[in-house]
Amino acid sequence: MATWTPDPSFYPSPRMAMKAPQEKLAYVAAFDPDRKKPDAIAVVDVDPASGSYGSIVGQTDMPGVGDELHHFGWNACSSCLCPNAPHPHSERRYLVVPGLRSSRLHILDTKPDPKHPKIVKVIEPEEIAEKAGYSRLHTIHCGPEGIYVNALGNAQGEAPGGIFLVDHETFEVRGRWEVERGSQELAYDFWWHLGYDTMVTSEWGTPKTFEEGLIPEVLLGAKYGRRLHFWDLHKRKHLQEIDLGDKYQLVFELRPAHDPTKAYGFVGVVISLEDLSSSIWTWYRDGDKWAIKKVIDIPAEPADPDQLPPLLKGFKAVPPLVTDIDLSMDDRFLYVSCWGTGDMHQYDVSDPFNPKLTGKVRIGGIVSKAAHPGASNGALSGGPQMVEISRDGRRVYFTNSLYGAIDPQFYPDGIDGWMVKLDAGENGGIEFDPKFFVEWPKGHRPHQVRLEGGDCSSDSYCYP
């Protein structure tokens, strides 16, 4: 697995990563919401010169059922080039794929045949519970010390959730990451500022509050996550908590600046209990502490109750439901998925405290069901959800399913899966690629997307 020279897909800086070759394959987590057939990693051809462009060209089925594959990642990435990294000659070769419901961790080798990754190891939930004390695996990031995995529950599926490490070569579970947890109990996403030795974590809820769907009483009682936590990355100690306030619920995806000299990042908040709006917040360094400021409000849209699912009829509005965000490699454009209304927003965030809307498309949506120029079916279900950006920032891919038990709460007529691609202008603006519409095979729904060689949410960098 070690080589004499660093993997060519590793770049010391985001500036250099932007010059990387164009991706030709995308890996997509696909799950069976009925938990009757194995989930899979699908391989999609994203090479415009290929005769199979915009189609699924390979698939690797998981050995079990009911995994609910979620936010997977690579065993190694550009953080291996950090001066404190003990493994600069590793390969970006293995996909590390967590099951959010099953708590299994799957290791897939992409090197022998990139279109047909091979499962080489499965780490069972009992081993993870014994060695790390966690369950309900959610997100994978490759860091300087190895593979970081976060989990939304402890071994019993209760609070606290947290993070553990896996060896990037042997795939042995090392153990729990936190040394001093402080006030943190709930977990969701995590990322870091390598240049500031800081980990940032966000919050959703314990497994019992989401595995069978969102619970209205918990949501309206402001019992879901509403905080950010800041940690000393190397001492593994909790430093600070920021409470956004009880009207803000479901503090989800974190996107720190790629440039390691910039001490700020963005987080999406799914819903406000006050008006059903979604919001984007910028966290930033303020003296010797971290602070946060709301920089984008996305309002709910009035709607006929007859067009709304039971959960929303009384509100007479469609919430935007910002469920994912992604930041371009040059830290210039932030993409915001509005899964409820069906919008994908593009903001110029060159000034992270004063975003400017520079592009917007609509597809799907609870009420609008907006079409795509390449789709055979005019009315599309679901909406923009997991979003991924190419390293050069010119291509944006996204899928339409959130979570098996939550999808029917907002789309009770069912979700037919799809994956689309946007072309992005150099100075802003987005439009659909009419030749790229992947109609997902029945029985699976698509979720997380990873691009061959890396993308805008897979790597972190130690040099500007």
Side-chain angles (χ1 to χ4, degrees):
M1 196 164 144
T3 60
W4 286 110
T5 56
D7 188 302
S9 74
F10 294 172
Y11 293 89
S13 71
R15 181 171 43 85
M16 295 175 71
M18 289 182 64
K19 300 176 182 178
Q22 183 170 334
E23 68 284 350
K24 294 185 178 181
L25 296 174
Y27 297 96
V28 183
F31 69 96
D32 173 17
D34 297 322
R35 303 195 296 278
K36 294 178 179 177
K37 61 188 279 188
D39 295 353
I41 293 294
V43 185
V44 177
D45 187 333
V46 296
D47 179 4
S50 168
S52 52
Y53 177 60
S55 62
I56 297 172
V57 293
Q59 180 171 305
T60 302
D61 291 337
M62 299 301 105
V65 296
D67 287 309
E68 185 105 20
L69 298 186
H70 220 61
H71 298 174
F72 65 106
W74 294 101
N75 66 301
C77 54
S78 297
S79 62
C80 288
L81 301 184
C82 288
N84 58 325
H87 47 270
H89 304 300
S90 297
E91 288 183 279
R92 186 197 305 269
R93 172 172 176 173
Y94 296 92
L95 292 172
V96 184
V97 184
L100 178 51
R101 186 174 280 264
S102 70
S103 304
R104 295 188 194 101
L105 194 60
H106 310 84
I107 312 299
L108 280 64
D109 188 354
T110 68
K111 188 173 183 178
D113 183 352
K115 292 183 179 180
H116 298 92
K118 181 182 179 182
I119 297 174
V120 293
K121 184 171 183 175
V122 177
I123 306 174
E124 296 294 340
E126 294 80 10
E127 180 179 349
I128 293 167
E130 178 190 356
K131 294 181 177 179
Y134 286 128
S135 68
R136 284 30 173 239
L137 315 184
H138 184 268
T139 296
I140 307 296
H141 283 309
C142 35
E145 301 89 350
I147 302 165
Y148 287 68
V149 185
N150 81 326
L152 302 194
N154 63 15
Q156 293 75 40
E158 303 289 342
I163 297 169
F164 64 96
L165 258 72
V166 175
D167 189 278
H168 73 287
E169 288 186 345
T170 65
F171 303 111
E172 292 295 321
V173 177
R174 289 182 183 167
R176 190 182 85 183
W177 177 77
E178 300 87 0
V179 170
E180 291 182 6
R181 185 180 302 280
S183 60
Q184 181 264 327
E185 289 286 319
L186 301 180
Y188 181 74
D189 197 14
F190 72 103
W191 250 118
W192 44 61
H193 289 284
L194 293 177
Y196 291 84
D197 293 336
T198 298
M199 171 84 82
V200 189
T201 65
S202 62
E203 297 186 343
W204 183 0
T206 56
K208 66 183 178 183
T209 65
F210 64 78
E211 283 192 334
E212 302 306 321
L214 294 176
I215 301 173
E217 294 77 16
V218 176
L219 180 64
L220 296 175
K223 301 298 185 184
Y224 283 114
R226 68 190 211 200
R227 299 170 177 85
L228 284 187
H229 299 273
F230 295 85
W231 310 70
D232 186 305
L233 181 60
H234 289 107
K235 292 181 180 178
R236 298 153 53 196
K237 296 179 179 181
H238 188 276
L239 298 175
Q240 185 182 348
E241 172 193 294
I242 297 181
D243 189 332
L244 275 59
D246 60 6
K247 76 177 182 181
Y248 296 107
Q249 288 288 281
L250 306 168
V251 182
F252 268 15
E253 306 294 340
L254 303 166
R255 297 292 180 257
H258 295 284
D259 183 336
T261 68
K262 296 177 179 177
Y264 68 83
F266 302 93
V267 61
V269 177
V270 177
I271 198 162
S272 163
L273 299 181
E274 191 172 65
D275 56 11
L276 298 189
S277 65
S278 293
S279 51
I280 305 295
W281 302 61
T282 299
W283 76 77
Y284 59 98
R285 195 75 180 152
D286 184 16
D288 61 352
K289 293 284 189 179
W290 295 90
I292 196 165
K293 178 184 179 182
K294 186 168 65 169
V295 295
I296 299 171
D297 257 318
I298 303 175
E301 297 182 0
D304 182 342
D306 290 342
Q307 294 182 290
L308 295 171
L311 192 66
L312 297 174
K313 285 185 183 296
F315 296 102
K316 300 180 181 179
V318 179
L321 299 176
V322 166
T323 51
D324 195 23
I325 61 175
D326 206 4
L327 181 64
S328 64
M329 194 71 76
D330 58 3
D331 296 327
R332 183 175 176 190
F333 293 106
L334 184 73
Y335 290 84
V336 177
S337 296
C338 301
W339 188 63
T341 53
D343 293 331
M344 176 64 75
H345 291 191
Q346 179 202 58
Y347 295 91
D348 186 330
V349 290
S350 302
D351 176 353
F353 300 103
N354 189 27
K356 306 288 187 185
L357 183 65
T358 49
K360 179 177 175 180
V361 297
R362 175 164 285 193
I363 180 170
I366 293 170
V367 171
S368 59
K369 300 179 176 64
H372 182 277
S376 57
N377 179 6
L380 296 177
S381 54
Q385 217 282 293
M386 295 309 299
V387 54
E388 196 49 77
I389 310 167
S390 64
R391 288 171 291 185
D392 64 2
R394 304 307 294 272
R395 295 165 302 284
V396 181
Y397 305 87
F398 59 90
T399 58
N400 70 326
S401 173
L402 175 63
Y403 181 71
I406 295 176
D407 286 353
Q409 293 184 287
F410 294 94
Y411 292 91
D413 294 333
I415 284 182
D416 293 322
W418 44 258
M419 175 183 176
V420 300
K421 173 191 162 217
L422 304 178
D423 293 317
E426 185 176 354
N427 293 307
I430 47 176
E431 60 183 11
F432 287 111
D433 177 349
K435 298 179 180 178
F436 194 102
F437 183 85
V438 185
E439 192 171 340
W440 218 262
K442 302 293 185 184
H444 275 159
R445 292 179 191 160
H447 192 62
Q448 173 82 17
V449 178
R450 282 270 165 252
L451 302 182
E452 175 191 35
D455 46 55
C456 285
S457 69
S458 62
D459 290 39
S460 47
Y461 306 87
C462 277
Y463 304 94

